[in-house]
Coordinates of all heavy atoms in Angstrom, one line a residue:
M20 N 4.6 -2.5 27.1 CA 3.4 -3.0 26.5 C 3.8 -3.9 25.3 O 3.1 -5.0 25.1 CB 2.6 -1.9 26.1 CG 1.3 -2.3 25.4 SD 0.2 -0.9 25.1 CE -1.2 -1.7 24.4
A21 N 4.7 -3.5 24.5 CA 5.1 -4.3 23.3 C 5.7 -5.7 23.8 O 5.5 -6.7 23.1 CB 6.1 -3.6 22.5
D22 N 6.4 -5.7 24.9 CA 6.9 -6.9 25.4 C 5.8 -7.9 25.8 O 5.9 -9.1 25.6 CB 7.8 -6.7 26.6 CG 9.1 -5.9 26.2 OD1 9.5 -6.1 25.1 OD2 9.6 -5.2 27.1
N23 N 4.7 -7.3 26.4 CA 3.6 -8.2 26.8 C 2.9 -8.8 25.5 O 2.5 -9.9 25.6 CB 2.6 -7.4 27.5 CG 3.1 -7.0 28.9 OD1 4.0 -7.6 29.4 ND2 2.5 -5.9 29.5
L24 N 2.8 -8.0 24.5 CA 2.2 -8.6 23.2 C 3.0 -9.7 22.6 O 2.5 -10.6 22.1 CB 2.0 -7.4 22.2 CG 0.9 -6.4 22.6 CD1 0.9 -5.3 21.5 CD2 -0.5 -7.1 22.7
N25 N 4.4 -9.5 22.7 CA 5.3 -10.5 22.1 C 5.1 -11.8 22.9 O 5.1 -12.9 22.3 CB 6.7 -10.0 22.1 CG 7.6 -10.9 21.3 OD1 7.1 -11.6 20.4 ND2 8.9 -10.8 21.6
V26 N 5.0 -11.7 24.2 CA 4.9 -12.9 25.0 C 3.5 -13.5 24.8 O 3.3 -14.7 24.7 CB 5.1 -12.6 26.5 CG1 4.7 -13.8 27.4 CG2 6.5 -12.2 26.7
L27 N 2.5 -12.7 24.7 CA 1.1 -13.2 24.5 C 0.9 -13.8 23.2 O 0.3 -14.9 23.2 CB 0.2 -12.0 24.7 CG -1.3 -12.3 24.8 CD1 -1.7 -13.2 25.9 CD2 -2.1 -11.0 24.8
Y28 N 1.3 -13.3 22.1 CA 1.0 -13.8 20.8 C 2.2 -14.5 20.2 O 2.0 -15.3 19.2 CB 0.6 -12.7 19.9 CG -0.7 -12.1 20.3 CD1 -0.8 -10.8 20.8 CD2 -1.9 -12.8 20.1 CE1 -2.0 -10.3 21.2 CE2 -3.1 -12.3 20.5 CZ -3.2 -11.0 21.1 OH -4.4 -10.5 21.4
N29 N 3.4 -14.3 20.6 CA 4.6 -15.0 20.1 C 4.7 -14.9 18.6 O 4.8 -15.9 18.0 CB 4.7 -16.4 20.7 CG 6.1 -17.0 20.5 OD1 7.0 -16.3 20.3 ND2 6.2 -18.3 20.6
A30 N 4.6 -13.7 18.1 CA 4.6 -13.5 16.6 C 6.0 -13.4 16.1 O 6.9 -12.8 16.7 CB 3.9 -12.3 16.3
D31 N 6.3 -14.0 14.9 CA 7.5 -13.9 14.2 C 7.5 -12.6 13.4 O 6.8 -12.5 12.4 CB 7.8 -15.1 13.3 CG 9.1 -15.0 12.6 OD1 9.9 -14.2 12.9 OD2 9.3 -15.8 11.7
H32 N 8.2 -11.5 13.9 CA 8.0 -10.2 13.4 C 8.5 -10.1 12.0 O 8.0 -9.4 11.1 CB 8.7 -9.2 14.3 CG 8.1 -9.0 15.6 ND1 6.9 -8.5 15.8 CD2 8.5 -9.4 16.9 CE1 6.5 -8.5 17.1 NE2 7.5 -9.1 17.7
A33 N 9.6 -10.9 11.6 CA 10.1 -10.9 10.2 C 9.0 -11.4 9.3 O 8.8 -10.9 8.2 CB 11.4 -11.7 10.2
L34 N 8.3 -12.4 9.7 CA 7.3 -13.0 8.9 C 6.1 -12.1 8.7 O 5.5 -12.0 7.6 CB 6.8 -14.4 9.5 CG 5.8 -15.2 8.7 CD1 6.4 -15.6 7.3 CD2 5.4 -16.4 9.4
V35 N 5.7 -11.4 9.8 CA 4.6 -10.5 9.8 C 5.0 -9.3 8.8 O 4.1 -8.9 8.0 CB 4.3 -10.0 11.2 CG1 3.3 -8.8 11.1 CG2 3.7 -11.1 12.0
M36 N 6.2 -8.8 8.9 CA 6.6 -7.7 8.1 C 6.7 -8.1 6.6 O 6.3 -7.4 5.7 CB 7.9 -7.1 8.5 CG 7.8 -6.3 9.8 SD 6.6 -5.0 9.8 CE 7.2 -3.9 8.6
A37 N 7.1 -9.3 6.3 CA 7.2 -9.8 5.0 C 5.8 -9.9 4.4 O 5.6 -9.6 3.2 CB 7.9 -11.2 4.9
G38 N 4.8 -10.4 5.2 CA 3.5 -10.5 4.7 C 2.9 -9.1 4.5 O 2.1 -8.9 3.5
A39 N 3.2 -8.2 5.3 CA 2.7 -6.8 5.1 C 3.2 -6.2 3.9 O 2.5 -5.6 3.1 CB 3.1 -5.9 6.4
V40 N 4.5 -6.4 3.6 CA 5.1 -5.8 2.4 C 4.5 -6.5 1.2 O 4.2 -5.8 0.2 CB 6.6 -6.0 2.4 CG1 7.3 -5.7 1.1 CG2 7.2 -5.1 3.5
M41 N 4.3 -7.8 1.2 CA 3.8 -8.5 0.0 C 2.3 -8.1 -0.2 O 1.9 -8.1 -1.4 CB 3.9 -10.0 0.3 CG 5.3 -10.5 0.2 SD 5.4 -12.3 0.5 CE 4.3 -13.0 -0.7
S42 N 1.6 -7.7 0.8 CA 0.2 -7.3 0.6 C 0.1 -5.8 0.2 O -0.9 -5.4 -0.5 CB -0.6 -7.6 1.8 OG -0.2 -6.7 2.9
V43 N 1.1 -5.0 0.5 CA 1.0 -3.6 0.2 C 1.6 -3.2 -1.2 O 1.1 -2.3 -1.9 CB 1.7 -2.8 1.3 CG1 1.9 -1.3 0.9 CG2 0.9 -2.8 2.6
V44 N 2.6 -4.0 -1.7 CA 3.3 -3.7 -2.9 C 2.3 -3.7 -4.1 O 2.3 -2.7 -4.9 CB 4.5 -4.6 -3.2 CG1 5.0 -4.5 -4.6 CG2 5.6 -4.3 -2.2
P45 N 1.4 -4.7 -4.3 CA 0.5 -4.6 -5.4 C -0.5 -3.4 -5.3 O -0.8 -2.8 -6.3 CB -0.3 -5.9 -5.3 CG 0.5 -6.8 -4.5 CD 1.3 -6.0 -3.6
L46 N -0.9 -3.0 -4.1 CA -1.7 -1.9 -4.0 C -1.0 -0.6 -4.4 O -1.6 0.3 -5.0 CB -2.2 -1.7 -2.5 CG -3.1 -2.8 -2.0 CD1 -3.3 -2.6 -0.5 CD2 -4.4 -2.8 -2.7
I47 N 0.3 -0.5 -4.1 CA 1.0 0.7 -4.5 C 1.2 0.7 -6.0 O 1.0 1.8 -6.6 CB 2.4 0.7 -3.8 CG1 2.2 0.9 -2.3 CG2 3.3 1.8 -4.4 CD1 3.5 0.8 -1.5
V48 N 1.4 -0.4 -6.6 CA 1.6 -0.5 -8.1 C 0.2 -0.1 -8.8 O 0.2 0.8 -9.7 CB 2.0 -1.9 -8.5 CG1 1.9 -2.0 -10.0 CG2 3.4 -2.2 -8.1
V49 N -0.9 -0.6 -8.3 CA -2.2 -0.2 -8.9 C -2.5 1.2 -8.7 O -3.0 1.9 -9.6 CB -3.3 -1.1 -8.2 CG1 -4.7 -0.6 -8.6 CG2 -3.1 -2.6 -8.7
F50 N -2.1 1.8 -7.5 CA -2.4 3.2 -7.2 C -1.5 4.1 -8.2 O -2.0 5.0 -8.7 CB -2.0 3.5 -5.8 CG -2.0 5.0 -5.5 CD1 -3.3 5.6 -5.3 CD2 -0.9 5.7 -5.4 CE1 -3.3 7.0 -5.0 CE2 -0.9 7.1 -5.1 CZ -2.1 7.7 -5.0
L51 N -0.2 3.7 -8.4 CA 0.6 4.5 -9.2 C 0.1 4.5 -10.7 O 0.1 5.5 -11.4 CB 2.1 4.1 -9.1 CG 2.7 4.4 -7.8 CD1 4.1 3.8 -7.7 CD2 2.8 5.8 -7.5
L52 N -0.3 3.3 -11.2 CA -0.8 3.2 -12.5 C -2.1 4.0 -12.7 O -2.3 4.7 -13.6 CB -1.0 1.8 -12.9 CG 0.3 0.9 -13.1 CD1 0.0 -0.5 -13.3 CD2 1.2 1.5 -14.2
G53 N -3.0 3.9 -11.7 CA -4.2 4.6 -11.7 C -4.1 6.1 -11.6 O -4.8 6.8 -12.3
A54 N -3.1 6.5 -10.8 CA -2.9 7.9 -10.6 C -2.4 8.5 -11.9 O -2.8 9.7 -12.3 CB -1.9 8.2 -9.5
R55 N -1.5 7.8 -12.6 CA -1.0 8.3 -13.9 C -2.1 8.5 -14.9 O -2.2 9.6 -15.5 CB 0.1 7.4 -14.4 CG 0.7 7.9 -15.7 CD 1.8 6.9 -16.2 NE 1.2 5.6 -16.5 CZ 1.8 4.6 -17.0 NH1 3.1 4.7 -17.2 NH2 1.2 3.5 -17.3
H56 N -2.9 7.6 -15.0 CA -4.1 7.7 -16.0 C -5.1 8.7 -15.5 O -5.6 9.5 -16.3 CB -4.7 6.3 -16.2 CG -3.9 5.3 -16.9 ND1 -3.5 5.5 -18.2 CD2 -3.3 4.2 -16.4 CE1 -2.8 4.5 -18.6 NE2 -2.6 3.7 -17.5
F57 N -5.3 8.8 -14.2 CA -6.3 9.8 -13.7 C -5.8 11.2 -14.0 O -6.6 12.0 -14.4 CB -6.5 9.5 -12.2 CG -7.4 10.5 -11.6 CD1 -8.8 10.5 -11.8 CD2 -6.9 11.5 -10.8 CE1 -9.6 11.4 -11.2 CE2 -7.7 12.5 -10.2 CZ -9.1 12.4 -10.4
L58 N -4.5 11.4 -13.7 CA -4.0 12.8 -13.9 C -3.9 13.1 -15.4 O -4.2 14.3 -15.8 CB -2.6 12.9 -13.3 CG -2.6 12.9 -11.7 CD1 -1.2 12.9 -11.2 CD2 -3.4 14.0 -11.1
R59 N -3.6 12.2 -16.2 CA -3.6 12.4 -17.7 C -5.0 12.8 -18.2 O -5.2 13.7 -18.9 CB -3.0 11.2 -18.4 CG -2.9 11.4 -19.9 CD -2.5 10.2 -20.6 NE -3.6 9.2 -20.5 CZ -3.5 7.9 -20.6 NH1 -2.3 7.4 -20.8 NH2 -4.5 7.1 -20.4
D60 N -6.0 12.0 -17.8 CA -7.3 12.3 -18.2 C -7.9 13.6 -17.6 O -8.6 14.3 -18.2 CB -8.2 11.1 -17.8 CG -7.9 9.8 -18.6 OD1 -7.2 9.9 -19.6 OD2 -8.3 8.7 -18.1
L61 N -7.5 13.9 -16.4 CA -7.9 15.1 -15.7 C -7.4 16.3 -16.5 O -8.1 17.3 -16.7 CB -7.5 15.1 -14.3 CG -7.9 16.3 -13.4 CD1 -9.5 16.2 -13.2 CD2 -7.3 16.3 -12.1
A62 N -6.1 16.2 -16.9 CA -5.5 17.3 -17.6 C -6.1 17.5 -19.0 O -6.3 18.6 -19.5 CB -4.0 17.1 -17.7
A63 N -6.4 16.3 -19.7 CA -7.1 16.4 -21.0 C -8.5 17.0 -20.9 O -8.9 17.7 -21.8 CB -7.1 15.0 -21.6
G64 N -9.2 16.7 -19.8 CA -10.5 17.2 -19.7 C -10.5 18.7 -19.3 O -11.4 19.4 -19.6
A65 N -9.5 19.1 -18.6 CA -9.4 20.5 -18.2 C -9.1 21.4 -19.4 O -9.6 22.6 -19.4 CB -8.3 20.7 -17.2
T66 N -8.5 20.9 -20.5 CA -8.2 21.8 -21.6 C -9.2 21.7 -22.7 O -9.2 22.4 -23.7 CB -6.8 21.4 -22.2 OG1 -6.8 20.0 -22.6 CG2 -5.7 21.6 -21.2
K67 N -10.1 20.7 -22.6 CA -11.2 20.6 -23.6 C -12.3 21.6 -23.4 O -12.7 22.0 -22.3 CB -11.8 19.2 -23.4 CG -12.7 18.8 -24.6 CD -13.4 17.4 -24.3 CE -12.3 16.3 -24.1 NZ -13.0 15.0 -23.9
M68 N -12.7 22.2 -24.5 CA -13.7 23.2 -24.5 C -15.0 22.7 -25.1 O -15.2 22.2 -26.1 CB -13.3 24.5 -25.2 CG -12.2 25.2 -24.4 SD -13.0 26.4 -23.4 CE -11.7 27.1 -22.5

């Protein structure tokens, strides 16, 4: 099946993977920064009375 897709679309897999990595890296960075602040604020709110 994968061979049929390669013949049908003739995609450069290295270019597709490079584009996928370039589009995912900023999302991971934003997630990690947001998760750090979220967990810090969550812990601060849990101890507040």
Side-chain angles (χ1 to χ4, degrees):
M20 181 173 182
D22 293 332
N23 290 339
L24 290 175
N25 193 24
V26 170
L27 186 62
Y28 294 109
N29 197 16
D31 183 9
H32 295 292
L34 185 62
V35 170
M36 290 305 295
V40 168
M41 288 176 60
S42 65
V43 168
V44 167
L46 293 173
I47 292 172
V48 170
V49 168
F50 173 77
L51 291 176
L52 291 174
R55 182 178 62 177
H56 292 290
F57 176 75
L58 291 175
R59 183 187 64 202
D60 294 341
L61 186 67
T66 58
K67 193 183 300 185
M68 289 268 177

